[in-house]
Structure formats: C-alpha cells, structure tokens
Amino acid sequence: MSRDDVATVRARRVLVGEELRPATLRIAAGRIAAIDAYDEAGVPDLDVPDTATVLPGVVDTHVHVNEPGRTHWEGFASATLAAALGGVTTFVDMPLNSLPPTTTVAHLRTKQAAAAGQLAVDVAFWGGAVPGNADDLEPLWDAGVLGFKCFLSPSGVDEFPPLDPTAFRRALRTVAGFGGLVVVHAEDAGVLDAAPARPSRAYADFLVSRPDEAETRAIRQVLDGARETGARVHVLHLSSARALPLLRAARDEGLPVTVETCPHYLTFTAEQVPDAAPQFKCCPPIRDAANRDELWAALVEGVVDCVVSDHSPATAEEKQRGDGDLQQAWGGVSGLQVGFPAVAAEAARRGIDVPTVSRWMSRATADLVGFTTKGRIAVGADADLLVHDTAQDTVVVADRLAHRNPISAYDGLTFPGRVTTTLVRGRAVDPDRPDRSWGRQLERTP
C-alpha cells in the first residue's frame, strides 16, 4: 500500500444510500469492500472528525478542458487537480474548445493521448454533434464516449458550429437508433439574433441580449425532437426558470428528458453582478434573484435533476477582451474547484441538507452517464470519497485556485464548510504532489 492509499475510513456521518450514519468503510483494490459499524475499525487510516461528513465524490458531467490546442486556457493537469481539491473525483470533458474538437474517433484518440499521464481524478469524454458528422456518431459511441453535445446557437468557436433544425433532428434520429444520449446547449439562434446586443459594459444590457425566450424556444425544440424521434435528451445548464413549465409537462408526458443547472445560477443573481465584470459572463446568463429561487425549488421538486459546474475557463486576455464590453468577453465561469462548497453552503442557508446536495452532484450525475460504481457509497462501488468539514470555511482567492488562469466569479467569497480530503479509488489526493498517473480514462459502460 502506498503512503496515500487508505484501507479504512471511520466517521460519525457517512452517507450510505440516502442515510447519514456512523460507519467504517473498508477499502480494497480501489473499491468499498465492506461497510462496518463505526467502532469495528481498530485504528483507521483516516479518522474523520465529528464536524465532518463523508460523501461520495462529486461526478461533474460538464467540464471544459481545452487540451490539446488551447491548453493555456485549461489543461488536464490543472483541471484534475482543481477537481480533486473541490471534491470532484470524476468528470466528463466537453468536446469543444480543444483543437481538434471531439467530433470523430481520430479526434477522440488525440484528446485521450493528450490526457494520458496527466489525470489526478478519473475522466471520461463527450463526443460532439456538428454539421456533417452524423456518420461519425455511432463510431464515437462504440469508441466509448458517453453521449453527444450539440449547440442550437453559435458555440463561440468556429470549429464547433451549431446544428440547424434539420441537422438537429437528423442527429437525434441517428443517436436514438443506437440508444445514445444527446446533451444540448439550448438557446435559440433566431431569438438571439433578434435580441439587442449593443456594445456595453452594463450587465443589464448583456442580460437583455440573452433573453429567457432563447432558452424556452430552444427547449421546446429539444422536447419536440425527443417526442418525434424517441431520443434521450439532456438540457444543459438551465438558467431560465421560465422553461420549467415546459420541462414539468415533458416529465408528466414521459419524455426521456433530464435537466441540469449550475452552481453560478444557484449562487449569484443578476442584481449582484457588477458592470464590466467578465468573470460573471456565461451563456445562458445569470438571471435575477426570483429566478434563482425558482431553480432551487425545481431541484427540490425533481424537475431539475442535477448540478454541474460548466467549468468553462479562458485566459485573462480572452475574458478581458473589449475592456469590459460584455459582448466581446469570453463567456464562461470557472468554478470546478469551488462548485460543491458553494452549492452546499447556499443549500444549508435554505434548509437543504448535504445528502440532498450530494444526490444532485454525485448520484444523479453518475446515473445520467451510466456510471454505476460512481457517485454512491456502497459495497462494490469505487472508493471515491470526499470529506466535507463544516468547522472549516472555503475562502476563495482566485490566484490560489488550481485553475490554470486566476479568474473566478467566486473570488473573495467565503463559504461555510470545506472539502478537506478527497479519495480517488481509495487513494488520497496530495494537493502538493498529486499522482497524475492515478486517474483513469473512463469509457461508456455497455
């Protein structure tokens, strides 16, 4: 056993199934071999303080790692360390912003080669659906991607163009034919084109340029496509609560649709966002406080299934393009390292317990992509664990985060509770000397 391997973990609060209870976890060959009574361990390798809770590691299914090609935005070495420091033990890499994008098997192999030997946590990959690559989708599926990301409006990078309505339906039919999953950036191109988008440093002007109707119209298209083709669909980064009635009706109808939202939509409000502050710019945008409350209620109700980071970093040059003009700045929030503490803190303020947060950020996301040994503490599951201690705070200082670029909407905030230890398949991640040979590249489980 290496110095970082852990064979026994003992804590007064361990999330086993849906229940917090005292337990000793016994780990062998990277998996949970037994869940014993609290006092059966002898002297455990990891004795968790009474102020802390042992939870399944976060499974973040929406992370942009821009390697190869734009590694100066974010690479696998920096991203996987940031993930581990925030309690994320598995993430799924999005197919765009790297060069080449993951739209063919050859491009997937390039991405996998770039990731080799750089992973402090386990990583899997989405494929991309773009105009002209319908014939590449099933080969990508067979090569192990977890599903297919597409845009209904411009993505921000020329090499990953959006699907028009005809191409979108074709992609849905193709993916439905082999039982895959289509995950959709749901903003309508026509609505965005019609919205006023004048150069401006004012956040209120940027918000007007990305109206709620862009999401509601695009989500209606997604749901109509699922109804017509039978494809399983997933709505990415829901920001507009005005789409919730559509999604609620789709659930009642039995359509195969799931939905995610993000920590920045649950933490920030438009009223709080300063002007000329591109670290808060994302698409779709952070909306008002009443909207945020509705997103929280939809999570509790189950209309929204899960919470993911949508970590979309860029260089300071890209974020500051236009000198505060929010139409020019790169859109994306860097939050991989702080997403779980932020959501847990806001949930606690709203009277929502940490097992519920864990369900949204670990179990639901693992289930979305079919990872049956991730996102849960159970015999036979991977020993992917985080320790969250409410006696300590998360103090966010952007230039101390492991993200490659020191830009964060969370800079300067303090959240009650901190991730103090992260275990990936039974091995504790050393923040000073992470073992980047330990993380695995995961493929879809048939």
Side-chain angles (χ1 to χ4, degrees):
M1 185 173 73
S2 81
R3 67 178 184 83
D4 294 321
D5 287 332
V6 175
T8 51
V9 178
R10 182 173 68 181
R12 293 288 182 187
R13 291 198 300 275
V14 181
L15 183 59
V16 181
E18 300 291 324
E19 177 190 10
L20 283 178
R21 62 181 176 87
T24 295
L25 305 178
R26 298 189 184 276
I27 299 169
R31 297 203 169 192
I32 297 172
I35 302 174
D36 293 335
Y38 175 83
D39 56 0
E40 290 186 15
V43 179
D45 296 294
L46 178 60
D47 199 6
V48 175
D50 290 351
T51 54
T53 304
V54 177
L55 302 165
V58 170
V59 178
D60 191 338
T61 53
H62 196 149
V63 175
H64 293 268
V65 180
N66 308 311
E67 188 171 6
R70 293 189 177 100
T71 308
H72 55 298
W73 291 22
E74 189 79 279
F76 284 103
S78 52
T80 58
L81 177 57
L85 294 175
V88 178
T89 52
T90 303
F91 70 70
V92 188
D93 173 63
M94 281 292 171
L96 71 155
N97 299 342
S98 58
L99 295 169
T102 314
T103 52
T104 69
V105 172
H107 293 175
L108 172 65
R109 299 307 181 212
T110 299
K111 170 77 80 166
Q112 291 170 326
Q118 297 205 73
L119 306 182
V121 302
D122 291 347
V123 174
F125 303 95
W126 293 109
V130 296
N133 86 325
D135 292 340
D136 293 297
L137 301 182
E138 189 164 9
L140 276 164
W141 181 252
D142 292 340
V145 301
L146 305 187
F148 304 93
K149 165 76 171 285
C150 70
F151 280 75
L152 302 183
S153 57
S155 70
V157 290
D158 292 340
E159 67 275 3
F160 202 97
L163 298 178
D164 65 24
T166 300
F168 178 59
R169 292 297 175 95
R170 182 181 180 190
L172 289 179
R173 289 191 192 94
T174 300
V175 174
F178 53 79
L181 172 65
V182 179
V183 304
V184 187
H185 182 120
E187 287 184 288
D188 183 83
V191 173
L192 295 178
D193 286 344
R198 66 184 182 87
S200 176
R201 296 163 62 89
Y203 186 76
D205 289 338
F206 172 68
L207 194 57
V208 169
S209 76
R210 314 294 297 205
D212 295 86
E213 187 189 359
E215 285 190 81
T216 57
R217 186 176 295 183
I219 288 170
R220 187 175 289 109
Q221 181 184 350
V222 172
L223 298 176
D224 288 345
R227 185 180 296 110
E228 179 183 313
T229 65
R232 188 160 64 104
V233 294
H234 179 73
V235 175
L236 297 168
H237 46 48
L238 179 72
S239 88
S240 176
R242 293 188 185 178
L244 292 172
L246 287 171
L247 294 165
R248 190 175 289 111
R251 295 296 183 88
D252 292 343
E253 184 183 341
L255 289 181
V257 58
T258 48
V259 186
E260 69 183 36
T261 192
C262 304
H264 40 280
Y265 302 133
L266 300 172
T267 301
F268 303 112
T269 67
E271 296 91 335
Q272 299 171 315
V273 176
D275 292 338
Q279 65 269 32
F280 293 92
K281 178 187 174 180
C282 54
C283 301
I286 295 165
R287 303 191 189 274
D288 61 48
N291 185 91
R292 180 181 65 168
D293 290 344
E294 289 189 65
L295 291 178
W296 275 101
L299 277 163
V300 172
E301 181 186 352
V303 176
V304 176
D305 301 271
C306 53
V307 181
V308 299
S309 70
D310 188 14
H311 177 66
S312 186
T315 61
E317 180 182 12
E318 288 294 321
K319 288 299 286 183
Q320 294 164 3
R321 188 172 359 113
D323 189 28
D325 176 3
L326 297 178
Q327 293 300 333
Q328 294 188 50
W330 176 261
V333 171
S334 294
L336 181 58
Q337 186 171 332
V338 297
F340 178 82
V343 176
E346 180 64 19
R349 190 179 73 81
R350 293 169 178 267
I352 299 168
D353 61 21
V354 76
T356 301
V357 174
S358 179
R359 173 163 51 82
W360 294 333
M361 301 189 76
S362 299
R363 182 64 175 264
T365 44
D367 289 350
L368 172 70
V369 295
F371 283 161
T372 58
T373 63
K374 301 286 189 184
R376 67 211 73 207
I377 296 175
V379 173
D382 288 353
D384 294 343
L385 307 171
L386 69 87
V387 177
H388 182 249
D389 194 340
T390 55
Q392 302 188 44
D393 292 338
T394 298
V395 180
V396 184
V397 179
D399 61 7
R400 296 180 187 172
L401 296 172
H403 305 160
R404 183 173 291 274
N405 290 283
I407 303 165
S408 176
Y410 300 92
D411 185 33
L413 297 184
T414 297
F415 300 114
R418 188 166 78 88
V419 175
T420 57
T421 306
T422 301
L423 271 63
V424 178
R425 287 176 287 107
R427 181 168 292 185
V429 178
D430 183 336
D432 298 317
R433 291 184 297 171
D435 181 356
R436 293 194 172 92
S437 68
W438 184 246
R440 297 182 303 182
Q441 294 190 36
L442 306 177
E443 296 182 356
R444 178 182 54 84
T445 302

